[in-house]
Amino acid sequence: KSEGRGRACIFVPEDEQRTLHRVNIESMIRESLLEGHFELHYQPVVSMGHQMIVGAEALVRLRHPERGLMAPGEFIDIAEETGLIVQLGEWVLEEGLRQLSIWHREHASAIYLSINVSGKQLQDYRFVRTLENLLSRYRIRPGYLILEITESMLMHHTDHTLEVMNRLKRLGCLLSIDDFGTGYSSLSYLQKFPLDILKIDRSFVTDIESNKTHRALVTAIITMSRSLNLRVICEGIETAQQMEILKGMRCQMGQGYHFSKPLPAHQFTTQYLPGSYQ
Ligand code: C2E
Ligand code: CA
Ligand code: CA
Ligand code: CA
């Protein structure tokens, strides 16, 4: 008994602290949605052959008046747990498509936009309709939108998720499996879902110079993707050497600090889309 009480003294405050933290972040997310404190940063996706920009991935940030710029690691899990990700995800979609329409129209650019979508959003029956409305409002051809869904989300899919993905596919959007290689999903997943792109997780790229197993795995994934007609993006490329190795493996597209960090919209525009028809 006394031991139990002693343990309770250690665990309860920690538990309370965690709950408090959660509640704080939750109300911060709610408030930020109302006050417009979220913003998107964009990381270029380049073709490995010519190192030309072909697309951008939208990554959400929270610009908090007191705490400064917060990365998704600080709030995305809590948004997910509380279901606020549905509302936040809708904001991300709208803001991303609004920006993409400016790039397409005013900069005569034809880049793709990748947007991260959570499993909760895919379970929401309004998702496809919302997306359809946004695409028509901003006059974007669906083929320029890539929806990224993590491998672990796909592993917890339901029949409904698959149905939504099939509808998104019929709409003409491109579907990408994110963080591939980390979820131990079976290869049958690649045929079960209507996928267009496979994104190899950063953890395989980070040590590609020194890790033979990772080199073999990445080579195998790229070869397999070709025969399944999937395009491949390698993420987390930080050095020229990593880029050369992946290029040698015939990886088509890459992303990472070697090319650029995620940038605020205005900076992305001036750096990557200089031509303006304004
Ligand atoms: P992710 O989708 O795997 O995004 C890639 C993450 O790696 C980003 O972190 C990016 O800034 C970082 N990164 C890019 N290049 C490099 C590199 O060369 N080296 C290293 N070390 N890191 C690199 P970020 O922006 O902090 O986002 C973290 C995660 O949060 C994302 O992982 C994604 O799962 C989630 N996320 C971000 N935005 C959204 C969103 O709008 N909706 C949802 N549902 N999730 C989001
Ligand atoms: Ca992603
Ligand atoms: Ca990823
Ligand atoms: Ca990730």
Side-chain angles (χ1 to χ4, degrees), residues 57 148 178-179 199 201 235:
E57 177 175 8
E148 295 194 355
D178 202 357
D179 300 348
K199 209 161 175 181
D201 191 68
E235 68 178 3

Side-chain angles (χ1 to χ4, degrees), residues 94-259:
E94 163 134 35
E95 176 59 18
L97 291 178
R98 187 190 67 79
Q99 183 62 65
L100 187 65
S101 74
I102 294 173
W103 285 336
H104 281 185
R105 264 201 339 268
E106 296 174 9
H107 298 269
S109 159
I111 59 170
Y112 295 93
L113 183 69
S114 298
I115 289 185
N116 295 285
V117 173
S118 104
K120 278 245 168 71
Q121 283 175 277
L122 287 187
Q123 276 156 33
D124 191 78
Y125 65 96
R126 289 164 304 186
F127 184 72
V128 181
R129 174 71 71 81
T130 304
L131 185 59
E132 245 175 323
N133 287 340
L134 289 172
L135 286 166
S136 78
R137 182 180 321 155
Y138 293 105
R139 298 205 201 126
I140 293 192
R141 296 220 326 254
Y144 284 107
L145 178 64
I146 301 171
L147 299 169
E148 295 194 355
I149 301 150
T150 61
E151 184 184 25
S152 57
M153 293 290 178
L154 279 193
M155 288 172 70
H156 299 110
H157 75 283
T158 59
D159 287 349
H160 184 64
T161 319
L162 185 57
E163 169 59 22
V164 169
M165 287 177 73
N166 282 324
R167 272 197 241 172
L168 292 168
K169 184 70 194 200
R170 281 199 295 274
L171 189 61
C173 297
L174 302 176
L175 299 177
S176 168
I177 182 164
D178 202 357
D179 300 348
F180 188 77
T182 57
Y184 307 100
S185 66
S186 75
L187 296 182
S188 65
Y189 272 68
L190 298 180
Q191 286 194 305
K192 178 173 179 144
F193 296 100
L195 300 165
D196 302 281
I197 294 160
L198 192 150
K199 209 161 175 181
I200 298 178
D201 191 68
R202 182 168 84 220
S203 56
F204 297 94
V205 174
T206 305
D207 60 359
I208 195 117
E209 297 110 317
S210 59
N211 190 323
K212 254 169 122 173
T213 312
H214 282 176
R215 274 205 300 275
L217 271 169
V218 172
T219 306
I221 294 171
I222 293 171
T223 307
M224 176 191 66
S225 302
R226 276 183 193 281
S227 58
L228 290 172
N229 246 331
L230 294 167
R231 277 173 280 172
V232 175
I233 303 178
C234 277
E235 68 178 3
I237 301 174
E238 294 185 352
T239 68
Q241 201 188 350
Q242 289 167 353
M243 186 199 66
E244 288 304 334
I245 292 172
L246 292 165
K247 212 165 119 178
M249 294 174 174
R250 303 216 296 149
C251 168
Q252 293 136 310
M253 289 174 279
Q255 204 181 330
Y257 297 164
H258 173 63
F259 307 108

Side-chain angles (χ1 to χ4, degrees), residues 87-99:
Q87 215 183 322
L88 175 57
E90 211 171 297
W91 178 84
V92 169
L93 266 182
E94 163 134 35
E95 176 59 18
L97 291 178
R98 187 190 67 79
Q99 183 62 65

Side-chain angles (χ1 to χ4, degrees), residues 31-47:
E31 191 182 283
S32 302
L33 281 166
L34 288 172
E35 308 272 327
H37 292 158
F38 284 106
E39 55 185 71
L40 292 182
H41 286 196
Y42 300 89
Q43 186 175 38
V45 178
V46 306
S47 72

